[in-house]
Amino acid sequence: MRARRVTAIAAALCVGVSLAACGGGDDSAEGQSTIEWWVPDWDEEAAAELLDEFAETHPDIKVETVQTTWETMGNQIRVALDSGDTPDLITELTSRIPVYASKGQLLDVTDWYDDNMPRDDFYEAAVSTASFDDKVYGVPFRWDAGSMVYNADLFAEAGIEEPPATWAELKDAAKALQDIGVYAYGWPFGEPNNARVRWLNEYYTQGGEFTEEEDGSVSIDAEASEAALEVLAEGFDEGYVTPSSLEASNTDLQNLLINEQIAFYFEGAYAVKPIEEAGINIGTAVWPGPDGPGTVSADGFSLIVPEGTEHPDEVKELTQFLAQPESQTLMTETFPARISAADAERFQDPLFEPFIKQHGEYAKSRPAYAGWEDLVPTIHSALQSIALGDQTPAEANESILQHAEQILRVH
């Protein structure tokens, strides 16, 4: 997941619903409850607008917000939950929820899904990811997956009439682009988490699953993992993937596309606007697999409630308000987790159609296992080694399999 505006501030920026919101609980008016919500910096403006609206109908609830950032939020939230020194509400990656829930750190919110917040209006994969042991511990408000973005003018120059719908067509397109002197695409192998997502996308596309064993360990499909590495390596071997991939992040690839140094890449919908604003004739398409659409990894953000909150009723009121389709439409920079919210006008741009199709029909949740984050450096190193030609996909795969066997656990 990529934040739109990451700042150096790690905490404690109040954007509450009143001038008194930056004070402590003692400043509350008599009979007024104060709850604290940790909000990522890219959501702060939308959060302030929504809290102003919430205050009009809930004068007995004062909401104070504390800002988190993409770089710090994972550790900040983990430390707070482990210590028990928590706020009342937290915005967090949905894929991290099961690990917290397995430790008894989150409030069970299963019964919060009611007529005011019907579960069947949420993408089931999002709610399932926010669940543990058949109970729901989060309320998703953003759910998305990436797809292909491409320079339509370069495609036309290379004689590519339609975006590739299969991996064989993608390779043909890559060679055609190579013939006009353009690198076809790039991978973000310079940024560990971006790189891990690309491996996971191809792993899912190759039919890979995570198998939970009776002893609580989780195993990786060796054949699917090796096949994924082969797909990720072949563009380097053939010379149509930019060598800049070794140092690139998602943002770097976006800039390479804007500067016409690559013709396409895998990216989230948040890239559409800046690429358009740079004057590129952008196209979008579902990311291809062997015989049709590929299966990519999806994730998003959810609202979670620490188990120790002293204001569960008030937090429920706020959470259900934030979960309404209109609120989700405002609060997410990509796509909402409520299906009906996608009817909003802002999502009707035809360029968004492949993204909605991808995360709705051709995506799986990111793994939510203990040890998954610890596997990131190993996957990153494996991808770097195959890109450089230092290891074959089979050799690089062994390091992933061995480390996964040691650290991946159900919880």
Side-chain angles (χ1 to χ4, degrees), residues 223-253:
E223 289 187 12
S225 180
E226 184 173 341
L229 292 172
E230 289 172 351
V231 167
L232 294 164
E234 64 185 14
F236 294 99
D237 297 336
E238 298 295 330
Y240 45 72
V241 168
T242 175
S244 298
S245 296
L246 288 163
E247 299 176 349
S249 65
N250 285 343
T251 302
D252 295 322
L253 293 180

Side-chain angles (χ1 to χ4, degrees), residues 2 15 44 108 110 136 183 192 225 287 298 316 395 398 400:
R2 184 175 71 102
V15 289
E44 63 184 4
D108 175 4
T110 307
V136 186
Y183 284 113
S225 180
W287 190 256
K316 178 180 177 180
E395 292 168 340
E398 281 303 309
I400 295 175

Side-chain angles (χ1 to χ4, degrees), residues 146-211:
S147 295
M148 178 183 291
V149 296
Y150 63 91
N151 183 319
D153 291 338
L154 288 178
F155 270 34
E157 184 179 345
I160 303 167
E161 297 182 356
E162 298 288 341
T166 67
W167 194 257
E169 291 179 9
L170 183 147
K171 291 195 289 185
D172 288 342
K175 292 173 183 175
L177 289 159
Q178 191 178 35
D179 288 343
I180 66 169
V182 177
Y183 284 113
Y185 60 98
W187 299 116
F189 287 179
E191 204 290 315
N193 281 296
N194 294 167
R196 180 261 306 267
V197 169
R198 302 313 183 271
W199 172 85
L200 183 59
N201 290 348
E202 296 306 327
Y203 178 75
Y204 281 154
T205 293
Q206 299 300 324
E209 301 282 354
F210 293 88
T211 303

